[in-house]
Amino acid sequence: MGFLDFLFILFLIFIGIPLFKVGFKIYRMQKEAKKAFSQFNKQQQQRAEEYESQQRRQQQHQRRKSMGEYIDFEDISDLQQASSTKSHQSSSKKSRIKDEPLITDAEWEEIK
């Protein structure tokens, strides 16, 4: 056995084996991290699918509630509106409440 063989064995014992151990630990941690992230991703997808299905069920339930009988509406002519406002005005006089004028928007004026 020569001197170079002895140095090679020492190199393997003191440098090669610890480097191999560290490299193997890093590989194992990366593998565990990938596994954890993939499990988390699967859980998030399942939760998203459950949420979407729940939302679809709620929307279908709301649609069922909003469905009802059709009611035919009729437009009220201006004459009927005028007569209803007159009767409202006469009842407002009896209760001594004054009708206020309609509020209008302020006129727009450009500031220079």
Side-chain angles (χ1 to χ4, degrees):
M1 210 183 212
F3 181 71
L4 289 176
D5 292 337
F6 180 71
L7 283 176
F8 182 70
I9 292 172
L10 286 176
F11 175 78
L12 283 177
I13 292 172
F14 290 109
I15 296 174
I17 293 173
L19 280 177
F20 177 75
K21 286 182 179 179
V22 170
F24 185 70
K25 285 183 182 179
I26 290 173
Y27 168 76
R28 197 170 49 193
M29 287 181 0
Q30 285 179 342
K31 189 175 178 180
E32 289 175 6
K34 286 181 183 179
K35 183 179 177 182
F37 280 117
S38 67
Q39 286 177 348
F40 178 74
N41 191 20
K42 287 179 184 177
Q43 288 176 352
Q44 290 298 95
Q45 287 177 349
Q46 288 174 351
R47 288 181 184 162
E49 289 171 359
E50 289 173 5
Y51 178 75
E52 288 173 1
S53 66
Q54 182 183 14
Q55 291 297 324
R56 275 188 250 119
R57 277 187 259 127
Q58 285 179 354
Q59 287 176 353
Q60 289 174 354
H61 185 67
Q62 288 174 353
R63 284 187 202 138
R64 286 187 210 132
K65 280 186 176 180
S66 66
M67 290 181 169
E69 296 180 19
Y70 176 75
I71 300 173
D72 190 23
F73 290 99
E74 296 180 12
D75 289 333
I76 300 174
S77 67
D78 291 336
L79 296 175
Q80 290 175 344
Q81 287 179 351
S83 65
S84 67
T85 56
K86 286 181 184 178
S87 65
H88 176 66
Q89 288 175 353
S90 64
S91 64
S92 65
K93 289 179 185 176
K94 293 177 185 174
S95 63
R96 297 183 186 184
I97 297 176
K98 294 182 181 179
D99 288 334
E100 294 183 6
L102 296 175
I103 299 173
T104 58
D105 290 335
E107 292 183 18
W108 183 76
E109 184 176 321
E110 185 175 347
I111 300 173
K112 293 182 180 180

